[in-house]
């Protein structure tokens, strides 16, 4: 069984496993969004942060990385990802079709937001910046998550206007 995973947020810079292959990939009908309250990793119940999720939206698109697990490590990688990503059931595990920049099409595992979950939110960019600036969770400051993701998107040549705006706004706020 070949296991491909779609990275669009922290999986871009911290996949937690060593991929056998990484290829830029495009996913239709979803967009990368700070639409998930983080009450474990980058915030708390009292002071939630925001983390990225794939939010389904017809006509939208998201560019990220297709990450292929090494042969023989698929079960271990899948168990690790489920433990990491399904901590609160706000993410749903889905198989999505990716178009890779080398022309291949393939099915990959992706973690998408459950819009019915209590951690699903939709805030304007200013509110997002304020929350990200304040929050810290078990894996560190929320602003670190934002900056690491934005830096990796830049390295990969992926343009995300909302991410750029948030980085600039947080720099102003500091």
């Amino acid at each position: 069984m070949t296991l491909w995973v779609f990275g669009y947020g922290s999986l871009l810079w911290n996949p937690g496993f060593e991929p056998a292959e990484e290829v830029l990939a495009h996913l239709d009908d979803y967009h990368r969004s700070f639409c998930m309250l983080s009450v474990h990793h980058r915030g708390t119940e009292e002071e939630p942060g925001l983390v990225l999720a794939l939010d389904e939206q017809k006509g939208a698109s998201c560019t990220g990385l297709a990450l292929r697990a090494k042969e023989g490590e698929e079960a271990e990688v899948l168990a690790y990802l489920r433990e990491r990503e399904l901590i609160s059931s706000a993410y749903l595990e889905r198989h999505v079709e990716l178009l890779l920049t080398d022309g291949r099409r393939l099915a990959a595992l992706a973690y998408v937001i459950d819009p019915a979950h209590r951690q699903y939110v939709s805030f304007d960019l200013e509110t997002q910046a304020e929350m990200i600036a304040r929050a810290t969770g078990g894996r560190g400051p929320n602003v670190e998550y934002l900056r690491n993701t934005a830096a990796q998107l830049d390295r990969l040549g992926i343009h995300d206007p909302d991410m750029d705006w948030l980085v600039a706004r947080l720099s102003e706020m500091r």
Side-chain angles (χ1 to χ4, degrees):
M1 155 188 109
T2 302
L3 175 64
W4 286 91
V5 179
F6 184 60
Y8 58 88
S10 63
L11 288 174
L12 294 172
W13 48 271
N14 182 25
F17 65 98
E18 188 178 327
E21 185 177 1
E22 297 180 7
V23 184
L24 281 177
H26 186 76
L27 173 63
D28 287 328
D29 296 326
Y30 288 90
H31 66 103
R32 178 183 9 257
S33 174
F34 276 103
C35 63
M36 182 175 153
L37 292 174
S38 180
V39 296
H40 301 332
H41 297 315
R42 298 294 176 163
T44 63
E45 288 285 347
E46 299 76 29
E47 189 75 68
L50 291 170
V51 291
L52 293 164
L54 287 173
D55 197 4
E56 190 169 12
Q57 180 183 16
K58 197 77 174 154
S61 64
C62 181
T63 301
L65 277 180
L67 307 164
R68 182 171 56 84
K70 290 180 180 177
E71 189 174 331
E73 294 181 8
E74 296 90 351
E76 179 183 328
V77 168
L78 184 58
Y80 164 77
L81 289 171
R82 285 177 172 165
E83 182 179 329
R84 170 181 164 168
E85 302 296 332
L86 301 178
I87 188 170
S88 70
S89 74
Y91 282 130
L92 302 172
E93 193 174 83
R94 293 286 183 257
H95 285 91
V96 297
E97 184 177 315
L98 300 179
L99 174 60
L100 279 54
T101 54
D102 63 13
R104 288 180 285 171
R105 286 191 179 275
L106 54 85
L109 189 65
Y111 292 94
V112 306
I113 190 71
D114 177 356
H117 197 277
R118 70 177 185 86
Q119 286 175 257
Y120 177 73
V121 294
S122 180
F123 295 128
D124 61 76
L125 288 172
E126 183 64 31
T127 302
Q128 291 176 36
E130 291 167 5
M131 291 179 71
I132 290 168
R134 288 192 308 260
T136 297
R139 292 201 176 160
N142 203 175
V143 69
E144 175 185 79
Y145 173 94
L146 167 71
R147 288 193 176 129
N148 286 342
T149 304
Q152 186 64 6
L153 288 171
D154 284 344
R155 279 191 286 280
L156 294 169
I158 299 170
H159 181 64
D160 186 313
D162 287 352
M163 193 77 62
D164 294 342
W165 190 93
L166 287 167
V167 168
R169 181 67 182 112
L170 280 159
S171 292
E172 291 171 5
M173 293 169 77
R174 297 222 162 217

